[in-house]
Each structure stands twice: as structure tokens, then as C-alpha cells.
Amino acid sequence: MQLHLVIPHAAWPERDVEREVVAGLALPALAWLIGRGAREKHLPLDFHSWLAQRYGLPALPVAPLTLALDAPGEEAGYWLRADPVHLRANRDQLTLSDAAPLAIRPDEAAALVEALNRLLAEDGLRLIAPTPTRWYLRLPRDPGLETTPLHAVIGRDIHPALPRGADALQWHRLLNEIQMLLYTHPVNDARFEAGQPQINSLWLWGGGESPLPSTPEAPSDTVYTADPLVAALTAAGKGRVEPPAGVDELSATGMVVLDQLADPAGYGDAYAWREAWLALERDWFAPLAARLRRGELEEVALTFPELGLAVETGAGARWRFWRGARLPWSR
């Protein structure tokens, strides 16, 4: 049995304070796996760029990929993700929270989409909300926009990440109109009265043509993941998707994507990030190292995309006692 663990978000966002954040973090099983394995450095990549490479795509068309899972049978054409978000004024910045903490009800989504479509129809645009957190905008054609993935903007100033391109100002004006409509909508009035954050903007990103012009290549027959995008990529590449329930529940050789280190609130919670590492150590690294030592596994591969590190540790690692322990941040 061979397993490939992918651990995205392993780099603390502020590199100048990373040493302070990871100081004293005890991960002995991970340090053993890395220290005893064959290490290879590569160019650090954000997770989406790494996924595009791994699945053999020139770029990652997120919208059509997840649309195939959320709303199979929707018409062909150019689609953008248009996810509902909450913008908060913070001095001279607007910072963003995604839909996860908004707890959007289906009836709220339906009412907002109906009102927004009356605004968007005159430009030939159509909005759908097949899930409370993932919304989609269909366009008559490719708008030639350069956009920023939602996960890269959470908790940060949105202005440097707004759509860019020849017609960017037109899209900025449209976003302002969308925000004005949402601000005055009864759904948000009710949310304000109830003390809930308002759904006061959409984040446009991840555009692409549906159906996909090129087919992804699943990196293994089975991919264990709870990430909808990885699941969509794997399904499009004719691979099998299973949830990463735990080491003992793995039924086949494959790739395991562990995204516990993601910071969905975008608040830079160092304590939560460190706790996520400790959970990975307990639930994954320690059991896998033990199975390698017992000869029950042929190989464990580890990839940390943002750190530019790949490691392969075989069953013979238990005899390499001269090799010292190393953590992912070791220089």
C-alpha cells in the first residue's frame, strides 16, 4: 500500500514571523517521516497552481469544475464563481469574510438571486445559487478578466485583488451596483435586525468554459478529500473520490488531501493553526509512521505545495537511524 499525503497551507502567511509561530511545535512522527525520507525541493506554489500541475491542466477553471458537481446539466458557456461574501470597513480598507460564517439559508439565497438577476439581465448575465456558499454567474463570453481566488482574499484588503483587465472598471461599477442592491434588500435588513452579518457583496473568480476544453488527469485511481474543488477535479478525471475518514479507514492506495491547516476565517489564528498541526500529527503522521516501522506500508509520500517540499519515505526508513529528524520548515 502506497499513500501520498498532500498538506496545503503549511506555510504561515507572514513569512517574517513564521519562525515564531512554529517555535516549539512538537511533531515527532512528521519529523521522523521527513528526516528518514528522500527530500526534493521544488518551486513553492499556491495550492490551486499545484493542483493545476498535478491534474495536467494549464490553469484551474474552478467555476466550471465545481458547477459540474453543484448543478450538473446547466447550460454550456463561460461561468464565473460569484460567491456571497461579507465586506467589513476597517479604517481605509474593506476586508472580506467568505460565506462559511454567514450561515445563509436557502430561502435567503433564492430571494437575493432573484433580485440580482433583475439587475444583471440587461447585461446578459445570469446568477444561480445551487448551494448556500457557492454561487455562479453565466456570461455571454469570456470577459478577459484576471481574478483572485476567494481563499487568498479572506481577512485581507480586497482592493488589490479586485478583477483586473481591459474592462475591469466596468466590472468594478457592476460590483458597486450589486453591493447597493444587497445593502437595501429585505433579506439583509432582517439579518441586521437579528444581529447576523449581512450578505453585502459577491466575489467573482475562477472563470472558465463549460464544458472544459481539456480533461483533467486524476493523479491516482482514488483520491481522499473533503475539498469540493479536488473532488470536482478528480471526478472530471474519472477518478474515485472518498472522504479522508482516517488512516484505518483507507481502503486503497491513493492521494489524500488534508486541508486542516486552512484558515477559513482569515484571522491569522496562530493557536488554531498550531492545533491543526497537532491533530494531523495525532491522526495521520503518527499512525502512518508506525505502520511504516511495522512494514505494513510500502511508502508514504508527503507534499507541502506552499513550502516547495516533497518527501518520499519507504519501509526501509526504519533502518536509517543515522538520519536526523526534520520538520517542514527546517532549512
Side-chain angles (χ1 to χ4, degrees):
M1 189 173 180
Q2 299 171 320
L3 290 175
H4 177 197
L5 270 60
V6 182
I7 301 97
H9 317 297
W12 185 249
E14 291 81 27
R15 296 305 298 273
D16 55 334
V17 297
E18 183 178 76
R19 286 183 178 275
E20 300 173 30
V21 175
V22 302
L25 189 55
L27 306 169
L30 176 61
W32 183 86
L33 287 167
I34 295 176
R36 298 290 181 97
R39 298 181 295 275
E40 180 180 347
K41 286 285 189 178
H42 58 77
L43 183 69
L45 293 171
D46 68 86
F47 185 43
H48 283 191
S49 297
W50 183 88
L51 283 174
Q53 284 192 7
R54 186 69 183 180
Y55 282 80
L57 295 175
L60 203 60
V62 175
L65 281 165
T66 56
L67 180 70
L69 285 185
D70 294 337
E74 265 293 343
E75 64 179 316
Y78 192 92
W79 290 86
L80 278 167
R81 282 278 289 270
D83 294 333
V85 297
H86 173 73
L87 300 181
R88 181 177 63 179
N90 183 14
R91 295 185 182 179
D92 58 345
Q93 298 181 344
L94 278 176
T95 57
L96 177 150
S97 297
D98 71 354
L102 299 181
I104 302 172
R105 301 194 311 269
D107 62 305
E108 292 177 317
L112 292 175
V113 166
E114 181 181 5
L116 286 168
N117 272 326
R118 289 195 291 270
L119 169 68
L120 299 169
E122 60 188 59
D123 293 319
L125 308 175
R126 181 169 65 89
L127 182 69
I128 64 170
T131 80
T133 59
R134 293 189 296 276
W135 297 8
Y136 299 85
L137 185 67
R138 188 185 184 280
L139 288 68
R141 65 191 66 85
D142 183 347
L145 289 177
E146 182 183 349
T147 61
T148 304
L150 177 59
H151 69 84
V153 194
I154 296 171
R156 296 172 173 82
D157 180 17
I158 70 167
H159 289 104
L162 288 170
R164 301 170 295 282
D167 296 326
L169 290 180
Q170 174 185 336
W171 285 91
H172 295 177
R173 285 193 293 269
L174 178 60
L175 283 171
N176 286 334
E177 293 178 25
I178 288 171
Q179 290 163 12
M180 291 172 61
L181 185 154
L182 291 173
Y183 180 74
T184 59
H185 196 280
V187 164
N188 276 319
D189 290 340
R191 291 179 68 91
F192 179 79
E193 292 296 326
Q196 296 176 294
Q198 294 180 308
I199 308 157
N200 56 13
S201 191
L202 304 179
W203 190 254
L204 305 178
W205 68 288
E209 292 284 346
S210 176
L212 298 175
S214 55
T215 302
E217 299 174 8
S220 61
D221 292 339
T222 304
V223 175
Y224 300 89
T225 183
D227 185 320
L229 175 57
V230 180
L233 273 166
T234 305
K238 310 303 181 185
R240 186 176 68 191
V241 179
E242 293 190 13
V247 172
D248 293 337
E249 284 73 36
L250 298 183
S251 58
T253 296
M255 187 172 82
V256 185
V257 179
L258 302 172
D259 62 353
Q260 285 91 324
L261 298 174
D263 182 16
Y267 299 138
D269 188 338
Y271 176 79
W273 192 73
R274 287 170 62 95
E275 288 295 304
W277 274 112
L278 294 174
L280 287 172
E281 171 78 6
R282 179 192 66 234
D283 299 335
W284 290 93
F285 305 141
L288 289 173
R291 293 179 71 174
L292 270 177
R293 288 187 177 106
R294 295 194 299 265
E296 297 172 4
L297 282 175
E298 295 177 32
E299 182 180 86
V300 173
L302 303 168
T303 297
F304 306 89
E306 290 88 350
L307 293 174
L309 175 64
V311 182
E312 293 183 357
T313 308
R318 61 188 185 274
W319 307 115
R320 297 179 189 143
F321 54 85
W322 63 90
R323 301 190 66 168
R326 291 177 67 98
L327 287 172
W329 315 278
S330 301
R331 297 294 184 257

